[in-house]
Amino acid sequence: MFNDDEGERDAWFRALYAETFTVLFRIARRICYSDEAAEDLVHDSYIKAVERWRIFPTLNDAKYWLIRVVKNGALNYVKRKGREQKVYQRYFRETEERSPSPEDDTLRNHDAEALKAALASLPDKFRSVLVLKEYAGLNYKEIGRVLGISEGNVKVRVFRAREALSALLREGTGDVS
Amino acid sequence: MCPDRELLSAFADGEVPSPWDAKLERHAADCPRCREALAGLRRLRAAFHDGAARGDESGLEPARGRVLARVDETLAARRPLRPGLWSRRVSLPLPAAAAAALAVGLLTLAWAATGARNAELRMALNAAPQPMPALASTGMEGILELIARQEAGVNITISLPAGAAVRPSGEPIMVREADFRPGSGQ
């Protein structure tokens, strides 16, 4: 049984969920390359948002805050996994080649593999703008709001990220640029 | 003159405002170098979306239901049980709480002080001497002699004999004050 406050909070959360789930899940999944990790991240981020739901003036404020939280959480997850991977490789004296994950199996296209590898090797600040632009579908103004930078800065970062990505793809076998 | 590659990147994202977007498009139509640069940018963008369109999004809808159920479950587990009448928290503004505490304190002090005084009075009443029997005495000398025989602190009531008539003599002070008039010399 909800009291009035909980009922109001529940309605707020349902509206936020309907508005944001797709974009949050895409961002988390594209950075983590794991459905399970993406679900955990998105779940934890919603709980954090609900805990402080009264501080958001509008649903949009909560949306951009959530995107930032999920993006940061996903980047931290990838760094942590990378460190764990190195530890295991050292322990088992494995080569530096990555063994394919179940998620990799779904990406059979060579260009997609090359893009994924190149994107993963970009610095965080470049990877973030490309993920927010291409997978979350945000415009420069919205990306600036999420990252706390100006639209002009977003334009420069997107451009430099694309230049770096194209260079990485040219170095490898992928030739999408 | 060709636009720089940064501007072409923004154009590929639809972020160049009017009328510059139309001018840039006309330029790219006539400039092989810019046309090729734009085509490269569009291929790069398409590579992102190809992955999504090829079934990469298949996990989205099942995840939507699972995450919602998990969030509901987590929130329900954190919801406190409905508090009973006596365990409910009552919030008061600080000044009101301070005033209430002060009032309770003052009432307690007043009650304690009254109780102590009543106890003293009760003790005094219990210790009070029994009234002396009435003595019939006539004449002022007899009364003075009776007083002289008593110890100090004794209360003596002098009453007139029943049926005695008292006749006032002289003029009562109230009447004199009522008759006073300024400047009359009285």
Side-chain angles (χ1 to χ4, degrees):
Chain A
M1 177 74 80
F2 289 152
N3 60 30
D4 290 345
D5 194 53
E6 281 176 347
E8 196 184 341
R9 187 192 68 180
D10 191 58
W12 177 88
F13 165 65
R14 302 275 159 185
L16 182 71
Y17 195 85
E19 172 79 17
T20 57
F21 177 79
T22 302
V23 71
L24 294 180
F25 188 69
R26 277 185 184 154
I27 291 169
R29 196 162 182 262
R30 292 297 183 159
I31 295 177
C32 298
Y33 288 109
S34 159
D35 281 9
E36 195 182 338
E39 284 187 26
D40 286 347
L41 268 170
V42 172
H43 164 268
D44 294 351
S45 304
Y46 276 123
I47 296 297
K48 284 179 191 165
V50 170
E51 281 171 350
R52 47 184 66 95
W53 72 287
R54 283 201 182 278
I55 70 167
F56 301 112
T58 66
L59 214 58
N60 252 356
D61 290 296
K63 174 184 167 182
Y64 295 124
W65 181 88
L66 264 173
I67 290 174
R68 190 161 56 243
V69 168
V70 166
K71 186 264 297 176
N72 290 340
L75 289 173
N76 287 338
Y77 168 85
V78 169
K79 280 180 195 159
R80 195 170 60 247
K81 292 298 282 184
R83 283 196 295 270
E84 285 173 11
Q85 184 92 355
K86 282 179 184 169
V87 169
Y88 286 126
Q89 281 172 355
R90 212 166 30 238
Y91 185 77
F92 291 109
R93 298 178 187 283
E94 286 182 357
T95 63
E96 286 295 314
E97 285 180 359
R98 279 190 58 217
S99 53
S101 64
E103 289 77 31
D104 290 332
D105 296 338
T106 62
L107 296 171
R108 289 180 292 275
N109 186 282
H110 182 71
D111 284 351
E113 287 283 359
L115 179 67
K116 179 179 156 184
L119 192 61
S121 64
L122 284 180
D124 286 351
K125 69 176 187 177
F126 288 164
R127 184 161 34 163
S128 296
V129 287
L130 285 183
V131 167
L132 294 176
K133 174 73 204 148
E134 304 298 352
Y135 294 136
L138 304 185
N139 61 32
Y140 287 0
K141 189 177 178 182
E142 290 170 322
I143 294 172
R145 202 164 164 187
V146 170
L147 299 179
I149 58 178
S150 68
E151 270 186 73
N153 206 339
V154 173
K155 186 171 86 167
V156 172
R157 273 198 205 180
V158 168
F159 167 67
R160 290 184 182 164
R162 282 181 177 146
E163 292 283 287
L165 192 66
S166 297
L168 285 167
L169 290 167
R170 276 195 301 272
E171 284 169 15
T173 50
D175 191 22
V176 281
S177 63
Chain B
M1 185 178 162
C2 291
D4 62 24
R5 290 176 62 81
E6 189 180 307
L7 191 58
L8 286 176
S9 168
F11 179 74
D13 287 330
E15 296 275 356
V16 173
S18 179
W20 310 110
D21 56 343
K23 287 179 191 254
L24 207 152
E25 195 162 8
R26 278 199 298 274
H27 169 82
D30 297 333
C31 174
R33 192 172 151 220
C34 289
R35 197 164 55 240
E36 178 52 32
L38 272 177
L41 283 165
R42 283 172 180 147
R43 277 198 301 277
L44 186 63
R45 290 205 67 197
F48 281 94
H49 299 287
D50 283 351
R54 234 189 345 264
D56 207 7
E57 300 267 291
S58 57
L60 182 67
E61 288 310 316
R64 189 190 303 278
R66 276 196 302 268
V67 173
L68 182 61
R70 279 181 62 194
V71 172
D72 282 343
E73 195 179 321
T74 306
L75 294 178
R78 289 184 180 187
R79 190 175 300 132
L81 294 173
R82 203 170 179 79
L85 184 63
W86 298 108
S87 59
R88 255 180 224 170
R89 292 178 65 184
V90 177
S91 59
L92 277 178
L94 185 61
L102 188 63
V104 169
L106 288 175
L107 283 172
T108 308
L109 279 175
W111 176 78
T114 309
R117 199 167 62 195
N118 286 345
E120 281 172 11
L121 284 173
R122 271 196 300 275
M123 284 175 65
L125 285 173
N126 290 338
Q130 294 301 315
M132 289 177 64
L135 295 174
S137 178
T138 56
M140 189 56 71
E141 288 78 13
I143 293 172
L144 290 174
E145 189 184 349
L146 180 64
I147 291 171
R149 282 207 305 270
Q150 302 302 322
E151 294 174 2
V154 171
N155 293 326
I156 295 176
T157 305
I158 301 172
S159 55
L160 294 173
V166 178
R167 185 173 58 84
S169 62
E171 194 177 7
I173 189 167
M174 292 287 285
V175 175
R176 286 210 308 272
E177 284 183 359
D179 288 344
F180 174 77
R181 286 182 180 78
S184 64
Q186 290 184 354

